[in-house]
Amino acid sequence: MSMTFGIVLTPRSGADWAREAAAAERQGYRTLLLPDTRFTPSPFPALAAAAAVTTTIRLRPNVLAAPLRSPAATARETAALQLLSDGRFELGIGSGRPDAAAEAQWLGASWARPRNAAPTWSPPSPPYALRWPRPRRS
């Protein structure tokens, strides 16, 4: 049995983020995780930036707060990041943290208590993301 490790990092600047992502890969971490809070950069563009400076490390939000995004927006961003990372993106999704209701209010989004959130948001089926149009290459 082998063990792999991930690391949770948060960007302080673009240059620092690029250095930290590349360093995590060199140090042998399998996964780079980024929290999804209003106090951290949005995971999708930040992980896309990390994908640009790495080649093997897996990339994922620590847990994406699903109720803060529509299913279509989540599928679109997931498909884009899968493309930009050459398939290294992993989607960790959940109903949110204890403080997620306050974050949703701050963002102007509606929020259901986590035990009630599942019926209001269901993740798209895997084929949905696979059917998302891919950019044409010239």
Side-chain angles (χ1 to χ4, degrees):
M1 175 163 126
S2 67
M3 235 192 285
T4 61
F5 293 90
I7 186 169
V8 178
L9 297 173
T10 55
R12 292 182 302 264
S13 73
D16 282 345
W17 179 243
R19 278 191 297 276
E20 289 173 358
E25 184 174 74
R26 280 192 311 275
Q27 293 166 4
Y29 287 100
R30 181 183 184 275
T31 308
L32 172 60
L33 299 105
L34 175 65
D36 183 23
T37 75
R38 72 178 171 126
F39 303 107
T40 59
S42 176
F44 290 107
L47 292 172
V53 298
T54 60
T55 59
T56 60
I57 197 167
R58 308 291 297 172
L59 307 161
R60 66 172 281 188
N62 192 18
V63 174
L64 193 68
L68 299 181
R69 295 168 184 83
S70 72
T74 300
R76 179 175 185 239
E77 297 299 328
T78 296
L81 200 41
Q82 270 295 79
L83 176 74
L84 295 173
S85 70
D86 294 322
R88 294 180 289 131
F89 179 66
E90 298 175 349
L91 181 60
I93 197 161
S95 60
R97 298 162 313 286
D99 62 342
E103 290 187 14
Q105 182 179 12
W106 184 83
L107 293 167
S110 61
W111 183 260
R113 290 171 46 140
R115 72 172 178 245
N116 300 327
T120 63
W121 196 99
S122 59
S125 63
Y128 183 91
L130 297 175
R131 287 192 309 261
W132 200 267
R134 291 182 177 248
R136 293 183 184 196
R137 297 180 193 242
S138 49

